[in-house]
Amino acid sequence: MKVPFVDLHAQYLGIKAEIDSAIGEVIAQSAFIRGKHVDTFEQAWVQTLKVKHCISCANGTDALYVAMRGLGLKAGDEVITTAHSLIATSEAGLSFATHKQIPLISIHP
C-alpha cells in the first residue's frame, strides 16, 4: 500500500505565481547570497517567532553548527546524535568532537 508522504507539487501549484515571481526576482538581481531578500526573510521570521534575532543558513549542517556554537560547545565537547538522521547531523558535530567520531545511539521503544 502506498502511503503519500507529502505532495510538494500540489502545494506549489497553490502558490505558483508567488513562488515564480520571487524566484524570478532573485535570479534577475543575482541576489543568491544575503541581500534584501534574506534580510526581509530574517526580519519576518523574527516577528513570527517573537525573538530578537534570526540567522538564516545555507543548509542544515550550517544551522546545526551555529546552534551548537550558540550553546557554547567547544573543541573536545561530546556530541551524541541519533543513528536515524542524515550524515550532516554528525558532520556538524565533528568540529567539537574529541576523537573525530560521533557516538550514534539507537532508541527502540
Side-chain angles (χ1 to χ4, degrees), residues 57-66 88-89 92:
C57 298
N59 53 62
T61 305
D62 289 351
L64 288 167
Y65 177 82
V66 169
T89 306

Side-chain angles (χ1 to χ4, degrees), residues 29-50:
Q29 297 173 8
S30 293
F32 304 107
I33 300 171
R34 296 295 316 154
K36 76 173 192 170
H37 301 287
V38 174
D39 291 342
T40 300
F41 165 77
E42 289 177 346
Q43 287 306 311
W45 201 235
V46 161
Q47 292 174 4
T48 299
L49 296 178
K50 297 176 178 41

Side-chain angles (χ1 to χ4, degrees), residues 50-90:
K50 297 176 178 41
V51 296
K52 292 182 182 179
H53 307 284
C54 168
I55 302 171
S56 58
C57 298
N59 53 62
T61 305
D62 289 351
L64 288 167
Y65 177 82
V66 169
M68 289 179 199
R69 288 296 301 245
L71 290 170
L73 269 68
K74 54 194 173 307
D77 286 348
E78 184 175 30
V79 177
I80 300 172
T81 187
T82 176
H84 301 286
S85 183
L86 247 117
I87 190 65
T89 306
S90 298

